[in-house]
Amino acid sequence: MMKLISQILAAVLGLWLAVLFVPEVGIELLPDSSFFGIGLTSVWQIFLFLGIVLGLLNFFIKPVLDLITLPLRIITLGLFSLAINMAMIWVVDVIFKELSAPLIWPLLWTTFIIWGLSTLLSIFVKEKE
């Protein structure tokens, strides 16, 4: 459970830092922004919602993709996992029009930010074995 919470927290903070420091990444509040009919009225609500979605994708879908692409990750010495992480952020970008991360470089820098935060949080939050 703590790993899921740390993934969500890393995604929320990573998106927030990416919007602050990566020039082409942005989040905007649209008039029709809603979550199951509940209107999102503030930018922090959008950060929280997108972070929850990205954290859930990283927690549930990414391990399956890591297992499927294991031969590619072995051949590329782990660099293909970077492409998987970028694809996760791209999927969130495509699904939700509030997030804008165009082209390769903004996605790459956003991926590095979220990966770094996730690594730091995993050091501080250890699961009991």
Side-chain angles (χ1 to χ4, degrees), residues 2-13:
M2 289 303 291
K3 184 172 178 172
L4 175 63
I5 292 172
S6 70
Q7 287 286 331
I8 292 172
L9 186 61
V12 171
L13 290 175

Side-chain angles (χ1 to χ4, degrees), residues 65-107:
L65 289 176
D66 283 343
L67 184 65
I68 292 170
T69 61
L70 183 62
L72 279 173
R73 289 187 308 129
I74 291 171
I75 290 171
T76 62
L77 301 176
L79 285 177
F80 195 73
S81 62
L82 182 65
I84 293 172
N85 291 335
M86 286 176 63
M88 291 297 190
I89 296 170
W90 179 76
V91 164
V92 173
D93 180 25
V94 168
I95 292 174
F96 301 104
K97 56 189 171 203
E98 289 86 5
L99 176 64
S100 171
L103 302 175
I104 295 290
W105 294 112
L107 281 174

